[in-house]
Amino acid sequence: MNKSPKKPVKYTSSELSELERLRLENRQLHIENDYLKKVEALARRKDAQRKKNGPSSKS
């Protein structure tokens, strides 16, 4: 099998703009997802500690 080298893809300026926008959105979503995972882990830890310490006298 003869594999020829792939030709570089040529994008238009609007395609490049869209690609950059999608990359930025993807990065922001990754950051948001990481943040939400940390918040959830903290909430779980707090809930576990609350259960471990028993009911509180505070309302």
Side-chain angles (χ1 to χ4, degrees):
M1 290 184 116
N2 233 355
K3 290 189 177 182
S4 60
K6 292 184 179 179
K7 294 179 184 177
V9 178
K10 304 249 180 178
Y11 294 107
T12 65
S13 62
S14 64
E15 289 172 325
L16 287 173
S17 296
E18 179 70 2
L19 182 61
E20 184 61 31
R21 186 192 68 75
L22 290 171
R23 285 180 176 162
L24 178 60
E25 181 180 356
N26 190 29
R27 182 171 176 253
Q28 289 171 337
L29 290 170
H30 277 283
I31 291 168
E32 180 181 350
N33 194 22
D34 290 343
Y35 175 78
L36 292 173
K37 284 180 183 179
K38 288 180 183 183
V39 168
E40 183 180 10
L42 288 172
R44 284 184 187 168
R45 186 183 312 161
K46 190 174 183 178
D47 188 43
Q49 191 165 12
R50 196 175 304 146
K51 287 179 183 178
K52 179 182 173 186
N53 291 337
S56 176
S57 60
K58 295 181 182 177
S59 297

